[in-house]
Amino acid sequence: NKRVRGVSVFRPFIFGTEAKPFEPEKKPANAPVDHTHQWRIFVKGVNDEDISYWLKKVQFKLHETYAQSVRTIEQPPFEVVETGWGEFEIQVKLYFVPESNEKPQTLWHSLKLHPYGPDAEGMRERREVVVSQNYEEIVFNEPVEPFYEILTGG
Ligand code: SLL
């Protein structure tokens, strides 16, 4: 497959996490007692643009205390919703469409699930969602021709 020489194509995306402490009265019945938050990790387009024309699947590697800690999401929304506690790093591996001939790329995101405030009283007042997300750009340097066509809508 011929590469398009001298050309770099950039594609923006957003990735990150959202975490919300449980309301005491609304803790999911199936959540283990030590879990404090519901959280979500995601990879998505800017303004929710569909990015599946270049992103084929995303593999999220959660902390090894999770059952089936490797979660592979094959179509949008590329996200995992879970509950948990403490803090840990999540590995996010991006797989591109087969036409791209590109190797997967790995990103990391650290998730911190700590109850707010020094005591339960403080926690009760602060139950907002914490969003930690990054704007990223992926650079495809000298893409192969079929992928260049896909990227540029040719
Ligand atoms: C910490 N080193 O102490 C970390 C460990 C553990 C995260 C965090 C639940 C997994 C499950 C979970 O959130 N594990 O039991 O489903 O901060």
Side-chain angles (χ1 to χ4, degrees), residues 12-33:
F13 64 97
I14 309 282
F15 100 102
T17 53
E18 279 179 14
K20 188 176 188 339
F22 294 138
E23 311 283 341
E25 62 283 4
K26 285 192 206 137
K27 181 165 173 163
N30 56 340
V33 279

Side-chain angles (χ1 to χ4, degrees), residues 19 36-39 66 83-88 111-115:
T36 56
H37 292 65
Q38 179 163 78
W39 60 270
Y66 280 92
T83 64
W85 61 274
E87 59 180 88
F88 49 94
L111 180 62
K112 297 188 169 80
L113 307 173
H114 295 297

Side-chain angles (χ1 to χ4, degrees), residues 65-120:
T65 49
Y66 280 92
Q68 288 107 36
S69 60
V70 179
R71 311 280 175 93
T72 304
I73 309 299
E74 311 254 1
Q75 64 278 309
F78 298 108
E79 66 172 26
V80 169
V81 179
E82 261 297 351
T83 64
W85 61 274
E87 59 180 88
F88 49 94
E89 298 280 314
I90 301 171
Q91 190 198 71
V92 180
K93 202 165 173 183
L94 306 181
Y95 290 83
F96 306 109
V97 294
E99 295 88 344
S100 73
N101 243 355
E102 299 279 342
K103 291 196 208 79
Q105 285 205 26
T106 302
L107 308 167
W108 291 89
H109 193 85
S110 100
L111 180 62
K112 297 188 169 80
L113 307 173
H114 295 297
Y116 299 116
D119 52 35

